[in-house]
Amino acid sequence: MINTQSQTLEACCAEYERRYGRKPPPHFDTWFQVAQEQGFLLVDEFDSMMATMEPLWGVAPSDIRARVENVIEASQGQGMYRLTVSEGSFTNIGNWMSSVFGTWFKPNVLETLPNMTLAMNTMDEPKVVVPHDMLSHAMKTARNRRKDTPSPGKNPDLAQHVDFLSIGKQNTWDALSVSCAPDTMARDFSLEARKSPYLTEMGFLSNVTLSKDVCQFPELHNIHAGLRHPDSMTLTHALVPVFSQAKATCFNDLLYPSPFYVEKMRMEEYKEKEDTEWEEKKNIVYWTGSNTGGRSTHENWRSLQRQRLALMTLDKNRPINLLNRVQKFGGLSSEWVSINSTIASISNNTRVRISAAIQCEEDACAEQNEELQIQTGERDEISAGYEARYNLDIDGNGLSGRFYRLLMSKSAVLKQTLYQEWHDDWLIPWVHYVPLSMDLRDFPEIVRYLTQEPEGEALGQKVAQNSYEWSRRVLRSEDMKLVWWRLMLEYGRLFNDDRDEMYYRV
């Protein structure tokens, strides 16, 4: 990937046109020059972020502008705020994120941007779920448009209308699955449940991206707290550009670098002097945190991701499958064979603990305090994770804000997530982190392999070194500012009536 990145403006423009079927936006040359000066490595890798914007090319700019105004108005303070760029300056009416955007909208950036208004979602949860027929129509229009921009809706009251549904503290499936195609398992109830082709018998992920597809594998909805029973969630079914920090595949929000990451880096949350070298670290997988992720009830809490992890590791007699290397006849080769075991076989190599039961009904809180052996008030220091060779990172109410800090550390990261983020094109599984399946079937063998097999320990050390070095090359504050700038060039063009004439001219 590094070796294929464009080294010249001409090559970058050609690669852009090859990938996206249109010329780059105005001032692309200015962006590219600054990117080169600041050592921005992955100038071509924006596919995940661009994909979220593509349906908007099938919507008239006037309808987009009106929907943005209406979505801000309809949110009634539910975590949405307005960010406006006008005549080379910006107005930021929002929360603590204001300081982050202040560093991103420098004068040299504002000079390149047209007038536009953004709807910024500050909530953990995404906001936009577009019904599949509407999304398909927009994508078809986007692909088939010739010179003319799509016409505005003939009935503005309908074409520009935005409403919010409040579906927190309840099962969300009916509201979320409408974005799935009719021939997917999520919508076609005649289809039999099938084993995911992206999971091996042991549960290892062979394709991290496709394994997150909630429409193809609706069972994921039942084992992820943020989808099954979120503590709070308000969403719209309108195709409206809302910038969110992370989303599941059934959502249509626009992705951008999370200000949480930026702020934690500014505060220097990771302090290298508190970290230890690999050889000095304990040979364990470490995770501790509260039970956040959704609203816990008596009926659902045992199925939510953080609680399932804690229940698994607490039950020493829990049956699991591990792998054992067996020599073939003659001893010239070997193969891995599945064997039956219990959690006790890896207990010495795990340290997992729920530190607090919150966001739960009274009986569910009491049950979790007892069954998960929660000691109220006992929280570990951030540096405690650096004592372990492996740090586990799991979704909470939204993305995990600790992810970049863990990548920057000298420990390896085990990552379990159902969310898509802006960096998905930049972080490679089994190179920069170890992926975990949502059902955790692979967790016991991954722990055993990384902590008890010499080749596994060597792999873990390599992943730790890779992430330590890579995060300092592509997850810098400068990188996220440049990503944001590039997204603003794209979004500003979408927002403008003359967008088909707005492109960089050599």
Side-chain angles (χ1 to χ4, degrees), residues 3-15:
N3 292 338
T4 61
Q5 296 304 299
S6 299
Q7 299 301 311
T8 65
L9 175 61
E10 293 73 18
C12 196
C13 289
E15 179 63 12

Side-chain angles (χ1 to χ4, degrees), residues 13-25 50 53-58 142-143 145 490 493-494 499-500 502-503:
C13 289
E15 179 63 12
Y16 181 104
E17 195 164 354
R18 183 191 72 80
R19 292 191 185 209
Y20 310 124
R22 64 180 67 91
K23 295 183 182 299
M50 292 289 285
M53 289 193 182
E54 192 62 26
L56 294 166
W57 282 94
R143 286 192 295 265
R145 70 177 183 50
E490 300 290 348
R493 174 164 64 169
L494 272 172
R499 65 188 184 189
D500 285 319
M502 295 175 65
Y503 55 87

Side-chain angles (χ1 to χ4, degrees), residues 29-215:
D29 56 336
T30 305
W31 177 86
F32 183 83
Q33 180 180 348
V34 176
Q36 292 291 89
E37 291 171 354
Q38 296 191 6
F40 187 83
L41 191 62
L42 301 177
V43 293
D44 297 323
E45 304 306 322
F46 284 77
D47 288 358
S48 292
M49 289 170 280
M50 292 289 285
T52 64
M53 289 193 182
E54 192 62 26
L56 294 166
W57 282 94
V59 181
S62 59
D63 286 342
I64 290 177
R65 293 194 295 269
R67 291 179 194 178
V68 168
E69 294 297 331
N70 290 337
V71 78
I72 295 171
E73 177 67 24
S75 70
Q76 293 294 318
Q78 294 295 313
M80 192 85 68
Y81 72 91
R82 178 194 311 274
L83 195 159
T84 303
V85 175
S86 179
E87 308 304 329
S89 62
F90 86 100
T91 304
N92 197 5
I93 304 173
N95 61 2
W96 65 268
M97 291 185 181
S98 301
S99 60
V100 174
F101 293 118
T103 66
W104 285 358
F105 281 108
K106 293 296 186 183
N108 66 321
V109 174
L110 288 167
E111 287 173 2
T112 67
L113 301 181
N115 295 346
M116 55 185 167
T117 300
L118 291 80
M120 305 302 302
N121 173 26
T122 65
M123 300 293 285
D124 293 325
E125 306 87 2
K127 292 283 190 183
V128 183
V129 177
V130 183
H132 185 266
D133 57 339
M134 294 172 57
L135 193 63
S136 296
H137 178 73
M139 287 296 290
K140 183 178 179 181
T141 304
R143 286 192 295 265
N144 294 339
R145 70 177 183 50
R146 296 182 176 88
K147 184 176 181 180
D148 294 331
T149 299
S151 300
K154 300 300 183 184
N155 188 335
D157 288 342
L158 295 178
Q160 300 171 2
H161 183 75
V162 178
D163 262 335
F164 271 108
L165 303 173
S166 180
I167 58 172
K169 298 179 177 62
Q170 59 184 298
N171 194 305
T172 63
W173 187 238
D174 286 345
L176 301 186
S177 60
V178 295
S179 70
C180 299
D183 60 353
T184 59
M185 285 189 60
R187 300 282 300 281
D188 187 347
F189 304 129
S190 68
L191 296 174
E192 293 184 12
R194 61 189 178 93
K195 176 181 175 292
S196 169
Y198 313 116
L199 287 177
T200 69
E201 288 294 335
M202 293 293 295
F204 300 126
L205 294 169
S206 64
N207 189 316
V208 173
T209 302
L210 296 179
S211 70
K212 297 179 183 180
D213 191 336
V214 181
C215 294

Side-chain angles (χ1 to χ4, degrees), residues 121-126 224-227 229-233 244-248 251 258 260-261 287 290-295 305-306 359 393-403 415-421 423 438:
N121 173 26
T122 65
M123 300 293 285
D124 293 325
E125 306 87 2
H224 190 277
L227 296 185
H229 212 117
D231 190 56
S232 64
M233 180 174 286
S244 295
Q245 301 161 85
K247 70 183 189 70
F251 287 85
S258 170
F260 280 100
Y261 293 139
W287 181 85
S290 64
N291 66 338
T292 54
R295 182 69 176 179
Q305 67 265 19
R306 293 188 170 190
Q359 295 179 190
D393 195 38
I394 311 176
D395 292 339
N397 290 332
L399 61 82
S400 169
R402 67 180 81 175
F403 188 31
K415 179 70 169 173
Q416 186 206 52
T417 183
L418 197 62
Y419 291 122
Q420 299 172 318
E421 295 187 57
H423 55 232
M438 190 53 58

